[in-house]
Every structure is written in structure tokens, then in C-alpha cells.
Amino acid sequence: MARRLREPRPLSAPIKLLLRSPLLLYRAGLGQLLGSRFLLLEHIGRNSGRIRRTVLEVVQHERSTDVFYVAVGFGPRSDWYRNLLADPDCIIQVGRRRSRRRARVLPAAEGAELMARYARRHPRAARALMRMMGFEVDGSEADYRDVAGRLGLEFVALEPRGRGAAGPARGRVRG
């Protein structure tokens, strides 16, 4: 049975730099080098009203509906997650393709199934993610479901929201 050993540790400077490198690739116009395993999320800061960007790993892409699923890997205090809770309209970019999206937090049972499927496709990455988040798992699908369901790993669906101009208005003030 999965259990939380500790809260996620603050990241060291070298790890932060490594995790920010995909954002630098997107800023340089080279996001396509990351393929479809990562996406650039553009969202509005809940306090500043400014556009914020972060690169997230795609847990699953449902091609028939064009919905992208991402995990809230560093917990519900993650700024990008809290920003989406405040304003779910966002933009994603996968490679060179940008599209308008609306974020929706998944119910625990749906997130648990996503985590089990992700662990089946990417066992080493799933185990490393669990360690980084402070969870101990035995590697079984039941354990991954347990982490996502009972222990509170959350997932977000980024659903298409229509055609037209992409994105949140630059410098929009909330209030």
C-alpha cells in the first residue's frame, strides 16, 4: 500500500534549473524538440493578473477529444494550479501548436486511473515522480491508484474551449 513518507522537498538550485530548461526551449522557439510529452501552459497569475508560463509533462493526451491531462506533481500549493483554480481559461502549446483551453480538476477516481495508465506506460518515470513527491510505492497499479485517489495526487484536464484568438489578454487585471 502506498504511503506518504514526507512532504515534497524544496528543489535545489540545479534541479530548478533543469526543470526550467524546457521553458527556455519554448522561449527560444524550440518547443517542438520536446515532442508531445510536454506542454507549455500559459495562464493568468491570480494576484498579479500577468501572464505566467510553465512547462508540464503530459500524463495523457486523448486524441479523439484533444484533451490533455497533467498531474499536479508538486501538490495543490503549486502556483500554476492555484492560478487555474482562480481562472481556468488558459493556452497550451505543444510543439508549435497553440490552442485555447479550459482547465478542469478531475475527480479522484478518474485521476487514479490516469496515474495507473501513466505508470504502465512510463514505469521508471512514475517511480521517480513518486519519490520526488515523497511517496513510497511498490510499483503495482493498485499502489499508483492509491497515491492518486486516497493520498491526494490531483490531475487537471485541459479541454479545448473554441476557436479564435488564443489566450488570456496580456496584462489583464483581475479584481
Side-chain angles (χ1 to χ4, degrees):
M1 178 184 256
R3 64 189 180 108
R4 184 179 281 277
L5 301 175
R6 58 176 168 68
E7 288 298 313
R9 292 184 186 134
L11 301 175
S12 66
I15 296 296
K16 282 183 183 180
L17 181 61
L18 179 67
L19 292 175
R20 295 208 43 92
S21 61
L23 183 58
L24 298 174
L25 285 172
Y26 269 103
R27 285 185 176 161
L30 300 172
Q32 70 274 11
L33 295 177
L34 298 172
S36 59
R37 182 109 183 246
F38 294 90
L39 62 79
L40 174 69
L41 174 69
E42 194 171 282
H43 51 96
I44 299 295
R46 66 192 175 283
N47 295 319
S48 69
R50 292 183 172 172
I51 293 177
R52 302 294 184 200
R53 293 173 185 87
T54 190
V55 175
L56 302 169
E57 182 180 9
V58 174
V59 172
Q60 183 174 316
H61 175 220
E62 188 63 46
R63 292 191 194 316
S64 62
T65 57
D66 197 28
V67 176
F68 286 84
Y69 297 93
V70 295
V72 186
F74 291 106
R77 293 189 317 221
S78 298
D79 282 326
W80 68 266
Y81 178 69
R82 292 168 64 192
N83 290 341
L84 289 179
L85 291 177
D87 182 353
D89 290 336
C90 58
I91 296 172
I92 66 168
Q93 182 175 339
V94 180
R96 290 188 175 142
R97 181 179 150 230
R98 290 173 54 89
S99 58
R100 296 164 52 115
R101 300 289 162 147
R102 184 163 198 88
R104 177 178 60 86
V105 178
L106 298 181
E110 197 175 338
E113 286 307 310
L114 268 177
M115 187 66 222
R117 285 194 300 267
Y118 175 82
R120 194 177 322 127
R121 286 190 318 273
H122 306 289
R124 288 172 50 192
R127 202 176 270 278
L129 176 66
M130 293 296 106
R131 266 194 316 276
M132 189 168 34
M133 292 170 36
F135 291 109
E136 180 181 80
V137 294
D138 64 13
S140 69
E141 286 189 20
D143 236 16
Y144 286 109
R145 281 187 191 94
D146 188 44
V147 167
R150 185 177 62 83
L151 299 179
L153 176 59
E154 297 186 63
F155 291 83
V156 174
L158 299 169
E159 301 169 330
R161 70 176 165 109
R163 306 232 182 261
R170 183 169 297 280
R172 181 175 84 179
V173 177
R174 298 178 46 95

